[in-house]
Amino acid sequence: VSSPDIIQAVRWSDDGRGVRIVDQRALPDRYAERDLRSADAVCDAIATLAVRGAPAIGIAGAMGLVVAAGEAGGRSRPEFDAALAALAARIRRTRPTAVNLSWAIDRLLAAAAAVVGAPAVVLDAMRAEADAILEEDRAMCRRIGECGLPLVHDGARVLTHCNAGALATGGMGTALAPVYLAAREGRRVSVWADETRPLLQGSRLTAWELARAGIPVTVLADNMAASLMRAGEVDLVLVGADRIAANGDVANKIGTYGLAVLARHHGIPFYVAAPSSTFDPATPDGDAIAIEQRDPDEVRNAFGRRTAPADVPAHNPAFDVTPAALVTAIVSDRALHHPPYDFGRRPRGEGRRPNP
Amino acid sequence: VSSPDIIQAVRWSDDGRGVRIVDQRALPDRYAERDLRSADAVCDAIATLAVRGAPAIGIAGAMGLVVAAGEAGGRSRPEFDAALAALAARIRRTRPTAVNLSWAIDRLLAAAAAVVGAPAVVLDAMRAEADAILEEDRAMCRRIGECGLPLVHDGARVLTHCNAGALATGGMGTALAPVYLAAREGRRVSVWADETRPLLQGSRLTAWELARAGIPVTVLADNMAASLMRAGEVDLVLVGADRIAANGDVANKIGTYGLAVLARHHGIPFYVAAPSSTFDPATPDGDAIAIEQRDPDEVRNAFGRRTAPADVPAHNPAFDVTPAALVTAIVSDRALHHPPYDFGRRPRGEGRRPNP
């Protein structure tokens, strides 16, 4: 078994003057990298989901702000500061609900404000801060992989949902990190990837990145997971999380809750893997989490082809909530957390980094 | 509340010389009726799924054989008999695993063989037999509706899967029959329609026929049913069946089993509605039912657009098996059957009419 070749979703261009992304709009039809070399290109890529996944969006936004601000590098410091503020606001607006994006932009603005001197010096500080965000994310993913590694035994058949992989982060992903590390350790591991309607991140992205890394993966329609479990074909379920309440209730991509119920019925362990920044001490339980309702046309269409009558209502919640009682353990970058969960207090000195 | 306008999926053309079908390939984009006036047209419609659903295929095949044989009506009886045998074999081959199609063709051949005289007389007997098959199917659907009517209370919110409606039968459907009758009785009833990947019969067909009939229907992706149940938005689950084993285990469209587990977890009744011809006394339990594995490209594609990498394997079972223990009751055209189920013996004088 060779070490898995894990895709790097966001990095600097070879000449350091652009942000190189894997264009996720083109997948799975074709693999395309794009260099974002202007504010326009950065904003377009984020707005059109060429880059997606909370951590990856934050990283691309931070690196993109460095690239965009570089265009004003020859101006006076006051002019540069004004341009930077405008660019930051503009990038932030591309995904207004992406808390990670705002968080990353804020970090770069703070780094810039802390520097006295010419724009070139400010740009160096911003680039260092963007590098730090990327490296912190890579380290976070690796630590999730290490904390979750004991869950993925040799021969494990893992069922996952949506994409919580390398394509969503700067590193090896969250839910997929223990899978990649297990493969790197030489364990034989295979993955069942739910296609994850309506936007099909599982079949389009998870299947693609795992196959590229040489990890056996099989796609299934979401409604096929139950009979696979009954047939004894699933050893564990491993999914990501968008937010984890203080009591351990988990908000994640729609369909996650159903998998948790099915796993419990079949005696299969159900694990959630997510950065500790996903823990939300201010949210006591899942009932306090508002569920975003998305455009019904995402359900009434697939790839622009109509799948349901246009005048029939469609239900399209983005997330569901899995009660903590159905979660066997939660893997974070800090630990493998077992119930009863208590994420009600932040560790000292650590700010919350929300993952919308 | 006006009486629901239930679609008639298969009937004679106005001039009686063709088979008029609702072309289900065009739905939900547009409504198109087609008159099948030759053996070519009949075979093409069945092979390309313009007409689908076990009962509807049988009816269309029987009526289509009358139309096709009519072309040989001017020949001698021996020549007519030879042409009839060839046409019957040809129509049968269009869906070789559709047991209902073979069963209906056999009934017409037997009716023809029982008649002495010129082809015109034989054709009359065949037409009468095709009429009988259609009328028996319509009566069967209505009886299922009557047997299941007590399950659909005023205000009921019914979750269904796939299409077991009027579009699949000659009458008002199987699983949807109690819904239509409840609406006809003036009860307020609404339906949640699983889209039913991979072929989307729920969003394409169930949503269309219910909306046309004036019954409130909302489409959802299959993975959204669990959170709906948790939110208390589902009063009962009502699905069809492809085969029911002697012990009550139910084979039906992939995804049915998961719904049964979810319904049990949430304390929601789970009902199966199907013709008694679906009971298979020769099959002791679900383990004895072979599950057809279909083309993985149905999962890797949606409407011809790729949804997963072409070289990644996909899992695509057509059916799953729901153990009888999860089935609250089974609605047939004979009765509302409660557990423990015992369909191991046929009622006297009744042949089995399998529904593949």
Side-chain angles (χ1 to χ4, degrees):
Chain A
V1 179
S2 61
S3 197
D5 179 16
I6 304 171
I7 189 74
Q8 178 68 43
V10 187
R11 62 182 191 277
W12 294 109
S13 307
D14 292 341
D15 63 6
R17 299 179 61 182
V19 183
R20 179 162 296 177
I21 61 158
V22 176
D23 188 342
Q24 300 190 30
R25 298 167 303 188
L27 293 173
D29 281 333
R30 60 196 170 79
Y31 176 71
E33 296 185 347
R34 274 156 46 81
D35 280 347
L36 314 175
R37 296 184 171 276
S38 67
D40 282 353
V42 168
C43 291
D44 180 69
I46 296 174
T48 63
L49 308 186
V51 58
R52 54 153 284 285
I57 289 172
I59 294 162
M63 293 167 73
L65 184 58
V66 176
V67 167
E71 296 172 16
R75 302 193 197 169
S76 72
R77 177 69 194 262
E79 284 175 342
F80 175 85
D81 285 348
L84 179 61
L87 289 166
R90 187 173 162 212
I91 293 176
R92 217 191 285 265
R93 275 197 306 271
T94 55
R95 291 289 299 274
T97 60
V99 184
N100 256 55
L101 179 59
S102 258
W103 166 87
I105 297 289
D106 284 341
R107 271 187 66 167
L108 259 70
L109 292 180
V115 170
V116 177
V121 186
V122 179
L123 283 166
D124 283 347
M126 288 172 61
R127 179 176 294 261
E129 189 69 11
D131 280 337
I133 291 172
L134 173 60
E135 281 311 314
E136 289 166 23
D137 197 67
R138 293 176 58 82
M140 175 275 290
C141 291
R142 204 162 42 240
R143 286 196 305 269
I144 288 177
E146 288 160 0
C147 291
L149 187 56
L151 308 177
V152 185
H153 59 82
D154 186 40
R157 296 159 301 176
V158 178
L159 178 77
T160 192
H161 192 67
C162 198
N163 177 260
L167 284 169
T169 66
M172 62 173 71
T174 53
L176 294 190
V179 171
Y180 283 127
L181 275 195
R184 190 171 280 176
E185 296 269 311
R187 299 182 197 167
R188 290 157 300 183
V189 52
S190 60
V191 175
W192 296 106
D194 272 0
E195 66 173 8
T196 318
R197 277 282 284 158
L199 297 182
L200 300 165
Q201 294 93 336
S203 51
R204 291 193 299 114
L205 305 177
T206 297
W208 181 86
E209 71 166 82
L210 288 171
R212 180 180 183 284
I215 293 173
V217 57
T218 302
V219 174
L220 58 147
D222 302 312
N223 65 30
M224 297 168 183
S227 55
L228 269 186
M229 291 183 185
R230 184 162 183 257
E233 300 279 347
V234 177
D235 296 308
L236 65 151
V237 179
L238 187 49
V239 299
D242 289 89
R243 191 186 294 201
I244 300 177
N247 74 338
D249 288 355
V250 173
N252 190 44
K253 181 66 56 191
I254 185 72
T256 301
Y257 167 61
L259 289 178
V261 171
L262 292 170
R264 173 61 51 94
H265 182 83
H266 295 91
I268 295 168
F270 179 88
Y271 302 114
V272 173
S276 49
S277 58
T278 309
F279 300 149
D280 184 358
T283 300
D285 56 40
D287 293 341
I289 300 175
I291 300 297
E292 172 192 359
Q293 298 289 330
R294 294 178 57 84
D295 185 345
D297 272 335
E298 290 180 350
V299 171
R300 283 188 299 239
N301 291 279
F303 286 107
R305 287 290 305 268
R306 191 182 295 176
T307 59
D311 56 352
V312 165
H315 182 59
N316 190 19
F319 308 111
D320 59 26
V321 172
T322 300
L326 294 176
V327 180
T328 310
I330 295 176
V331 187
S332 80
D333 46 305
R334 291 208 300 262
L336 182 57
H337 308 265
H338 295 281
Y341 304 109
D342 180 8
F343 306 121
R345 294 200 313 173
R346 287 171 215 189
R348 255 182 321 226
E350 186 172 322
R352 188 169 86 80
R353 176 182 163 193
N355 258 319
Chain B
V1 180
S2 61
S3 197
D5 179 16
I6 303 171
I7 189 74
Q8 178 67 42
V10 187
R11 62 182 191 276
W12 295 110
S13 308
D14 291 341
D15 62 5
R17 299 178 61 181
V19 184
R20 178 162 297 176
I21 61 159
V22 176
D23 188 342
Q24 301 191 30
R25 297 166 303 188
L27 291 173
D29 281 333
R30 60 195 171 78
Y31 176 70
E33 296 185 348
R34 275 156 46 81
D35 280 347
L36 314 175
R37 295 182 172 278
S38 67
D40 282 352
V42 168
C43 290
D44 180 69
I46 296 174
T48 63
L49 308 187
V51 58
R52 55 153 282 287
I57 289 172
I59 293 162
M63 295 168 72
L65 184 58
V66 176
V67 168
E71 296 172 17
R75 304 193 196 169
S76 71
R77 176 70 194 262
E79 283 174 344
F80 175 85
D81 285 348
L84 179 61
L87 288 166
R90 186 173 162 212
I91 294 176
R92 216 191 285 266
R93 273 198 306 272
T94 56
R95 291 289 299 273
T97 60
V99 184
N100 256 54
L101 179 59
S102 259
W103 166 87
I105 297 291
D106 283 342
R107 270 186 67 167
L108 260 71
L109 292 180
V115 170
V116 178
V121 186
V122 179
L123 283 165
D124 283 347
M126 287 172 60
R127 180 176 293 262
E129 188 69 11
D131 280 337
I133 291 172
L134 174 60
E135 282 311 315
E136 288 166 22
D137 196 67
R138 292 175 59 81
M140 175 275 290
C141 292
R142 204 163 41 240
R143 286 196 305 271
I144 288 177
E146 289 159 0
C147 291
L149 188 56
L151 308 177
V152 184
H153 59 81
D154 185 40
R157 297 160 299 176
V158 178
L159 178 78
T160 192
H161 192 68
C162 197
N163 178 260
L167 285 170
T169 66
M172 62 174 70
T174 54
L176 295 189
V179 170
Y180 283 126
L181 275 195
R184 190 172 281 177
E185 295 271 310
R187 298 181 197 168
R188 290 157 299 182
V189 53
S190 60
V191 175
W192 295 106
D194 272 0
E195 65 173 8
T196 318
R197 277 281 284 156
L199 297 181
L200 299 165
Q201 294 94 336
S203 52
R204 291 193 299 115
L205 306 177
T206 297
W208 181 84
E209 71 166 82
L210 287 170
R212 181 182 183 283
I215 293 174
V217 57
T218 302
V219 174
L220 58 148
D222 301 313
N223 64 31
M224 297 168 182
S227 54
L228 270 186
M229 291 184 184
R230 183 162 184 257
E233 300 279 346
V234 178
D235 297 308
L236 64 151
V237 179
L238 187 48
V239 298
D242 289 89
R243 190 186 295 202
I244 300 176
N247 73 338
D249 289 354
V250 173
N252 190 43
K253 181 67 58 192
I254 185 73
T256 301
Y257 167 61
L259 289 178
V261 171
L262 293 170
R264 173 61 52 94
H265 182 84
H266 295 90
I268 296 168
F270 178 88
Y271 301 114
V272 172
S276 49
S277 58
T278 308
F279 299 150
D280 184 358
T283 299
D285 57 38
D287 292 342
I289 300 175
I291 301 298
E292 173 193 358
Q293 298 288 329
R294 294 179 57 84
D295 185 344
D297 271 335
E298 290 181 351
V299 171
R300 283 188 297 237
N301 291 278
F303 285 106
R305 286 292 303 269
R306 190 182 295 176
T307 59
D311 55 353
V312 165
H315 182 58
N316 191 18
F319 307 112
D320 59 26
V321 172
T322 300
L326 294 176
V327 181
T328 310
I330 295 175
V331 187
S332 81
D333 46 306
R334 290 209 301 264
L336 182 57
H337 307 265
H338 294 282
Y341 305 108
D342 180 8
F343 306 120
R345 293 199 315 173
R346 285 172 217 187
R348 256 180 321 225
E350 185 172 321
R352 188 170 87 80
R353 175 183 163 194
N355 257 321

